[in-house]
C-alpha cells in the first residue's frame, strides 16, 4: 500500500491510501478538499472511499468538496460519531471492515477523544486520527481516562510492533518535549525527539511512526513504568489515574 501524506490546514494530515493492484484509493480524514484533490490528480488514482476517524471539523471539513468533485463515493464513520457528520453513507462498529481494491481496513473503536473515534487498521498501517499521536494522545473531549487508556494500550498498543502509525496532526516534537519532562532518562525518547526535531528543521513530516517506538516513548503507553509514575507522584499501579494526570499536565504544559 502506498500512503500519500497530504498536509492540510495548519498542522493536520489527511492521507491517500492507494491499492497498488487496482489503483483504487481511500482518503483518510480530508480536513479540506483542495489539497486532497491535488494529491489525487497527481497520483492518478480513483477514490472509492473516505474513511473518517472522528467527527471534528478539522478532519471532516473536506468531505463535501470531495463528493462534489468526485461524485458518489462511500463516506464511512463510526456509528456514534456519524450523527455529527454530514454526508456519511455507511456506518461501522468495532471490527467491521471496508474494502478498497485489494486492501482491507478494519475499524478499531478507540473512544477517548470522541466517543465514536475509530482507527483504521490494514496493510501494515493504522490511521489513528486524534486518538494516538506520535508521542502523545488527543484531549479527552468526550471520553474518560479509562476509555483512552484502553484505546491506547489494549487496542492500538497491542498491534504488531512494526505497524506504521499515521496520526492526525504534526505534534510529534512538542509531544516528545513534554514526555521528556516525565521520562527524561529514556534513551529511546531522547532519540525519537532528536529525530523529530531534525525532521522539523528539514521540513519533513514525522509520520509514519511505529507501534514499537510508541511503546518505548509515548508516556500514555508507559503509565505502568516507574519513572513516569514517579514523575506525576502516583505509584501503586493505577495506570488510569497516571494517564489522567499525565494528560492534565500536558493540557497545562507551555514548554
Amino acid at each position: 500500500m502506498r500512503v500519500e501524506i497530504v498536509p492540510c490546514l495548519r498542522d493536520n494530515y489527511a492521507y491517500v491510501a492507494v491499492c497498488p493492484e487496482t489503483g483504487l484509493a481511500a482518503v483518510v480524514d480530508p480536513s479540506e478538499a483542495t489539497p486532497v484533490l491535488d494529491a489525487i490528480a497527481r497520483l492518478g488514482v480513483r477514490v472509492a472511499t473516505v474513511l473518517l476517524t472522528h467527527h471534528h471539523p478539522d478532519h471532516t471539513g473536506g468531505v463535501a468538496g470531495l463528493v462534489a468533485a468526485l461524485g458518489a463515493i462511500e463516506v464511512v464513520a463510526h456509528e456514534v460519531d456519524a450523527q455529527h457528520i454530514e454526508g456519511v453513507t455507511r456506518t461501522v462498529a468495532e471490527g467491521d471492515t471496508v474494502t478498497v481494491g485489494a486492501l482491507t481496513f478494519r475499524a478499531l473503536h478507540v473512544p477517548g477523544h470522541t466517543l465514536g473515534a475509530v482507527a483504521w487498521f490494514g496493510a501494515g498501517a493504522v490511521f489513528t486520527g486524534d486518538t494516538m499521536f506520535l508521542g502523545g494522545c488527543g484531549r479527552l473531549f468526550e471520553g474518560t481516562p479509562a476509555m483512552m487508556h484502553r484505546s491506547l494500550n489494549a487496542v492500538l498498543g497491542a498491534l504488531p510492533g512494526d505497524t506504521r502509525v499515521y496520526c492526525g496532526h504534526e505534534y510529534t516534537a512538542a509531544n516528545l518535549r513534554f514526555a521528556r519532562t516525565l521520562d527524561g532518562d529514556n534513551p529511546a525518547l531522547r532519540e525519537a525527539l532528536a529525530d523529530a526535531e531534525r525532521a522539523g528543521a528539514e521540513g519533513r513530516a514525522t509520520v509514519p511512526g511505529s507501534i514499537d517506538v510508541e511503546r518505548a516513548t509515548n508516556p500514555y503507553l508507559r503509565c505502568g513504568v516507574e519513572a513516569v509514575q514517579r514523575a506525576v507522584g502516583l505509584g501503586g499501579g493505577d495506570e488510569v489515574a497516571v494517564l489522567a494526570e499525565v494528560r492534565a499536565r500536558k493540557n497545562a504544559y507551555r514548554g
Side-chain angles (χ1 to χ4, degrees):
M1 176 177 67
R2 174 178 180 179
V3 178
E4 183 77 6
I5 302 167
V6 185
C8 295
L9 302 176
R10 184 168 64 88
D11 53 29
N12 279 74
Y13 288 134
Y15 300 100
V16 181
V18 182
C19 171
E21 296 183 26
T22 64
L24 290 176
V27 172
V28 182
D29 282 1
S31 307
E32 49 185 341
T34 298
V36 175
L37 290 169
D38 289 346
I40 291 165
R42 183 172 66 253
L43 294 168
V45 298
R46 181 164 68 87
V47 173
T49 301
V50 175
L51 302 176
L52 302 175
T53 63
H54 64 292
H55 67 76
H56 289 160
D58 64 323
H59 292 256
T60 64
V63 169
L66 290 184
V67 172
L70 302 176
I73 53 176
E74 185 177 57
V75 179
V76 189
H78 189 272
E79 58 191 5
V80 173
D81 271 22
Q83 61 189 306
H84 304 294
I85 307 168
E86 291 289 336
V88 172
T89 64
R90 177 183 170 189
T91 62
V92 293
E94 166 65 35
D96 288 346
T97 59
V98 175
T99 300
V100 180
L103 301 175
T104 299
F105 297 96
R106 179 158 55 95
L108 307 177
H109 186 205
V110 286
H113 184 64
T114 68
L115 293 179
V118 291
W120 294 100
F121 174 59
V126 63
F127 300 90
T128 58
D130 288 2
T131 300
M132 175 188 282
F133 297 128
L134 302 190
C137 76
R139 289 177 181 261
L140 278 66
F141 287 124
E142 298 175 13
T144 65
M147 287 178 179
M148 184 63 90
H149 183 271
R150 181 184 181 279
S151 294
L152 292 172
N153 292 273
V155 181
L156 296 174
L159 295 174
D162 61 354
T163 302
R164 302 185 306 281
V165 178
Y166 293 92
C167 58
H169 291 267
E170 183 55 76
Y171 292 163
T172 309
N175 284 337
L176 293 173
R177 283 192 286 269
F178 167 72
R180 185 175 56 186
T181 70
L182 308 174
D183 199 13
D185 292 332
N186 179 348
L189 173 56
R190 292 197 298 269
E191 180 180 356
L193 177 55
D195 289 344
E197 291 180 333
R198 186 179 308 112
E202 296 173 357
R204 295 184 288 108
T206 59
V207 293
S210 75
I211 292 296
D212 268 342
V213 171
E214 292 311 296
R215 290 174 186 151
T217 62
N218 189 321
Y220 303 97
L221 276 70
R222 293 173 58 77
C223 294
V225 173
E226 183 181 356
V228 175
Q229 294 186 346
R230 188 170 59 247
V232 298
L234 290 172
D238 186 345
E239 295 188 21
V240 171
V242 173
L243 184 146
E245 179 62 21
V246 172
R247 184 63 253 186
R249 292 186 181 210
K250 178 62 171 67
N251 292 347
Y253 179 67
R254 296 295 180 265

